[in-house]
Amino acid sequence: MEQLYTVNQLAEELGITPRALRFYEVKGLLAPNRVGNNRVYTKRDRARLKLILRGKRLGFSLAEIREYLDLYTVNGGLEQQKNLLKRVQKRLKDLAQQREDLEATVQELRDIEVQVTNSLVELKAVELKAAKES
């Protein structure tokens, strides 16, 4: 039998609140099953939620996350498969550009860090020299 998770179990396991989980349901990103009055999540739901959380951590909007999740629904005909392939290729291109932009930003910040560190060392040396002279 497939392992099922309750709202609280899944929320606790992934470090989010049950309210956040329900929010993703309301937004249509998750669709849990019901056992009686309780919502239960499958391993597939858990995997989707992990993708949602990764997307949020990386700064993607809910619309972008929904599009990304749609890429995992590969059960259509020839035209749907072609469309999926185009979307995957576009997403890969976009992510490659984001990676380049992020790497450039990280390098710029490292350069600033070195400049500020050197400046602080020079200022400290001037202060020490001034303190010795007085």
Side-chain angles (χ1 to χ4, degrees):
M1 181 165 178
E2 184 175 24
Q3 180 176 359
L4 299 175
Y5 303 87
T6 65
V7 170
N8 289 331
Q9 287 172 329
L10 192 56
E12 184 177 331
E13 180 180 331
L14 297 178
I16 62 172
T17 64
R19 184 176 179 194
L21 225 167
R22 289 184 188 101
F23 172 79
Y24 296 129
E25 291 173 30
V26 168
K27 294 298 181 180
L29 297 173
L30 291 173
N33 296 317
R34 291 216 176 254
V35 173
N37 288 331
N38 297 319
R39 293 189 314 279
V40 293
Y41 301 86
T42 63
K43 284 186 178 182
R44 182 177 185 276
D45 294 324
R46 181 180 173 274
R48 283 180 66 89
L49 182 57
K50 287 177 82 172
L51 290 171
I52 292 166
L53 296 174
R54 180 183 304 145
K56 289 304 292 176
R57 206 172 41 250
L58 294 172
F60 291 110
S61 70
L62 290 180
E64 290 170 320
I65 292 170
R66 177 176 284 109
E67 181 179 314
Y68 184 63
L69 291 172
D70 289 346
L71 297 178
Y72 283 88
T73 308
V74 186
N75 57 1
L78 180 61
E79 286 306 311
Q80 287 175 312
Q81 293 289 322
K82 286 180 182 179
N83 183 38
L84 174 62
L85 178 59
K86 286 179 188 175
R87 290 172 63 194
V88 167
Q89 290 170 336
K90 181 184 181 320
R91 193 74 186 130
L92 285 170
K93 182 180 174 185
D94 292 346
L95 288 172
Q97 182 61 53
Q98 287 178 336
R99 177 187 287 157
E100 287 178 28
D101 294 344
L102 182 59
E103 288 172 357
T105 301
V106 166
Q107 187 56 53
E108 289 170 6
L109 290 172
R110 284 187 177 137
D111 292 345
I112 292 169
E113 179 184 37
V114 167
Q115 290 172 359
V116 171
T117 300
N118 291 339
S119 178
L120 287 172
V121 167
E122 290 173 13
L123 287 172
K124 187 68 171 173
V126 169
E127 286 178 357
L128 287 174
K129 183 178 178 183
K132 286 181 182 178
E133 291 176 354
S134 54

